[in-house]
Amino acid sequence: MKKIIVGNWKMNPSTLAEARQIFSEIKKLSKKFPKIDIVVCPPFVYLSDLKNKIDKASSLKLGAQDVFWDNPETGSRPFTGEISASMLRDAGVKYVILGHSERRAMGETSEEVNKKIKIALEAGLTPVICIGEKEHDIDGKFFETLKIQIKDTLNKIKKADLQKIIMAYEPIWAIGKSESESMKGEDLYQMAIFIRKILSEMFGQVEAFKTPIVYGGSVSPFNVKDIISQGHVDGILAGRASLESEKIAEIMDILAQI
Ligand code: PGA
């Protein structure tokens, strides 16, 4: 499986000029490392502009940080402020992050994330579905929390569609921390196995093993080798590091050697 880097820019940078600058730097890197897929997910307002910088054959792709679950062409109600899957597709978007813990903390439920997955798949977008526990308690209650989250989030997703999604395991306690507080590769390995086990129960073993799993939570050049080689995941979802092209360059360099 090709390694993948998903960059979640969150509510950054503050200007289009800065967004163009960072994106251009990442584009240069993507040419240097064509075997690594890199998906940059900027805020909505920058998407249409950055689309012009993408060549079709490039390993650099555009992603969005959310999508709304209704389709304005067939939907029954208006939704002020929301963005539809067809709008994203028209803006050159190929991937969409769904169910990020920061959105779940604002009230988004697994049921809503589920509807968003379905609408994204219908539009031909690849959902990057975030799951993760708030705390890694020593008595292991987080396994059950995670299991429920995965089952509700992927409820009634078609077996054939599982290959069109990416699972992003992002333990909430490890997001936005220092690198040393991020999850260790060996613990991540255990979680990756657990996630595949749940996916196997839901969709069968063959499908479960074809689904890419990426890890997110304070990934940097400092810990990426451990995450990929000991964690046995297919890539990373980076927040802060994805806004610094030097860090992305180092990360790509390390991934290319694994
Ligand atoms: P971080 O963010 O890499 O800055 O911890 C990751 C995320 O929230 O997706």
Side-chain angles (χ1 to χ4, degrees):
M1 221 180 271
K2 236 176 149 186
K3 300 233 173 42
I4 182 161
I5 299 175
V6 183
N8 177 10
W9 283 9
K10 307 193 180 184
M11 203 168 69
N12 302 292
S14 303
T15 65
L16 174 62
E18 287 169 275
R20 282 182 178 159
Q21 173 71 28
I22 308 167
F23 197 77
S24 298
E25 289 163 9
I26 295 178
K27 184 179 169 179
K28 272 193 213 134
L29 292 170
S30 71
K31 287 193 176 138
K32 196 171 156 204
F33 298 100
K35 291 203 178 116
I36 300 170
D37 282 330
I38 177 152
V39 181
V40 172
C41 306
F44 289 131
V45 287
Y46 302 145
L47 289 168
S48 295
D49 185 87
L50 298 178
K51 173 189 178 184
N52 301 320
K53 291 189 185 291
I54 295 211
D55 322 317
K56 270 220 171 85
S58 167
S59 54
L60 171 64
K61 301 277 187 264
L62 265 184
Q65 297 172 23
D66 193 20
V67 69
F68 194 58
W69 47 259
D70 204 12
N71 178 351
E73 282 141 36
T74 53
S76 51
R77 284 193 286 151
F79 288 99
T80 299
E82 295 297 350
I83 307 283
S84 76
S86 46
M87 291 172 197
L88 292 182
R89 206 180 41 201
D90 188 54
V93 167
K94 303 282 184 224
Y95 292 75
V96 58
I97 297 173
L98 295 175
H100 190 281
S101 58
E102 285 154 16
R103 299 209 60 82
R104 290 186 191 257
M106 285 188 273
E108 186 166 84
T109 63
S110 292
E111 287 70 26
E112 281 167 320
V113 180
N114 180 263
K115 288 204 263 179
K116 291 179 176 187
I117 296 171
K118 288 172 183 159
I119 207 113
L121 285 167
E122 260 171 47
L125 305 175
T126 301
V128 180
I129 304 165
C130 301
I131 46 151
E133 73 283 0
K134 276 206 188 77
E135 50 171 331
H136 214 63
D137 47 291
I138 37 169
D139 44 2
K141 286 203 192 84
F142 60 88
F143 282 117
E144 190 56 24
T145 315
L146 207 56
K147 182 174 174 175
I148 295 169
Q149 203 183 40
I150 297 172
K151 293 209 157 171
D152 291 347
T153 302
L154 297 180
N155 184 31
K156 297 205 172 93
I157 296 296
K158 291 192 204 100
K159 197 171 174 169
D161 282 339
L162 196 67
Q163 284 174 50
K164 300 178 193 156
I165 67 175
I166 295 174
M167 294 303 288
Y169 171 58
E170 292 211 303
I172 300 170
W173 53 267
I175 295 176
K177 296 284 166 50
S178 71
E179 296 135 334
S180 55
E181 287 170 281
S182 148
M183 186 171 242
K184 303 287 167 287
E186 55 185 313
D187 297 329
L188 175 59
Y189 187 34
Q190 190 188 21
M191 298 314 294
I193 292 172
F194 180 73
I195 293 164
R196 289 209 198 278
K197 182 174 165 273
I198 307 296
L199 295 178
S200 297
E201 282 169 22
M202 294 179 76
F203 302 96
Q205 209 173 342
V206 177
E207 275 70 19
F209 276 85
K210 281 189 203 151
T211 310
I213 299 180
V214 300
Y215 166 83
S218 304
V219 179
S220 77
F222 171 80
N223 57 17
V224 72
K225 185 165 187 241
D226 175 57
I227 284 165
I228 299 291
S229 51
Q230 302 303 313
H232 300 277
V233 286
D234 305 292
I236 56 153
L237 200 171
R240 287 156 298 162
S242 69
L243 286 150
E244 294 178 49
S245 54
E246 303 80 25
K247 286 201 174 153
I248 291 288
E250 281 182 69
I251 289 174
M252 291 183 105
D253 220 15
I254 294 165
L255 290 192
Q257 289 171 46
I258 295 176

